[in-house]
Amino acid sequence: MNPKFRNAAMILALALILPALANAGGTIPQGTTIHVVIDQAISSKDGKIGQRVTGTVSKSVTVGGKVLIPKGSTVKLSVSSVQASGRLSTPAKLYLKLRTVTVGGKTYLLATSSAGHTEGSKAKRDTGFIGGGAAGGAIIGALAGGGKGAAIGAAAGAGAGTAGAAATGKKDVEFPAETRLVFTTQTDVAID
């Protein structure tokens, strides 16, 4: 074979092989973060455990200089924990887990941490409503009728504070479409 043709053939072979090697898969190690944007809204008010949610990877996952999960890859998530807000003491919560990612037409199962939110303790806020109502009622009662009026006012104020806490107490966790969540892999994931 002519040396010029042989050299040209080797260069052509390298040009075809190198991109394939650069795009070869790898392993995403345990503890790698995956940034996701969800495509649909979900709320603790009507969410159910196991409910499916779709999204996309918002930041490429790179290991050893190779992009193993490109930005824009499709992901599927599911609700892992949910609780609607209770009237007086139950805070709302909503957590999702990343279940699969699709790369190059192939879907990979993932084991990840949960990502989500729990509303703050309602007990402190509700106690403030109830205690504030009782104190306000006691002051008004004391001004109107002395010691006996203070006791009656305190009871009435506490009742009004409890009603206020119940009326304003329901605050659910809501994730609108395009909410950004971050998950951490719990096992290694081989990407072809």
Side-chain angles (χ1 to χ4, degrees):
M1 180 182 238
N2 184 335
K4 288 183 182 178
F5 288 119
R6 185 173 54 225
N7 288 342
M10 287 176 49
I11 290 171
L12 181 59
L14 284 173
L16 294 173
I17 293 172
L18 287 178
L21 291 176
N23 292 329
T27 298
I28 297 171
Q30 175 182 354
T32 301
T33 58
I34 301 175
H35 297 255
V36 169
V37 174
I38 61 173
D39 294 339
Q40 61 201 76
I42 186 163
S43 168
S44 63
K45 182 177 181 180
D46 52 14
K48 306 283 184 240
I49 289 187
Q51 180 178 342
R52 304 227 181 236
V53 179
T54 59
T56 55
V57 173
S58 62
K59 182 179 175 184
S60 293
V61 177
T62 304
V63 177
K66 284 189 206 172
V67 174
L68 297 183
I69 302 177
K71 178 180 178 178
S73 296
T74 302
V75 296
K76 291 188 180 172
L77 310 98
S78 67
V79 175
S80 60
S81 181
V82 64
Q83 180 171 283
S85 177
R87 286 260 180 221
L88 289 174
S89 64
T90 307
K93 67 180 176 179
L94 178 60
Y95 288 87
L96 304 175
K97 276 200 174 202
L98 182 55
R99 299 298 183 184
T100 66
V101 62
T102 301
V103 177
K106 186 170 180 182
T107 300
Y108 299 91
L109 293 174
L110 302 170
T112 69
S113 62
S114 292
H117 181 71
T118 299
E119 281 297 324
S121 172
K122 293 177 47 131
K124 288 181 185 175
R125 189 172 61 89
D126 292 348
T127 300
F129 267 111
I130 296 166
I139 292 169
I140 293 170
L143 291 174
K148 186 176 181 184
I152 294 170
T162 301
T168 62
K170 291 184 76 84
K171 185 169 184 190
D172 286 298
V173 176
E174 295 186 12
F175 295 151
E178 298 189 21
T179 296
R180 295 181 178 274
L181 299 169
V182 179
F183 300 89
T184 303
T185 58
Q186 294 178 328
T187 61
D188 292 351
V189 180
I191 303 289
D192 299 334

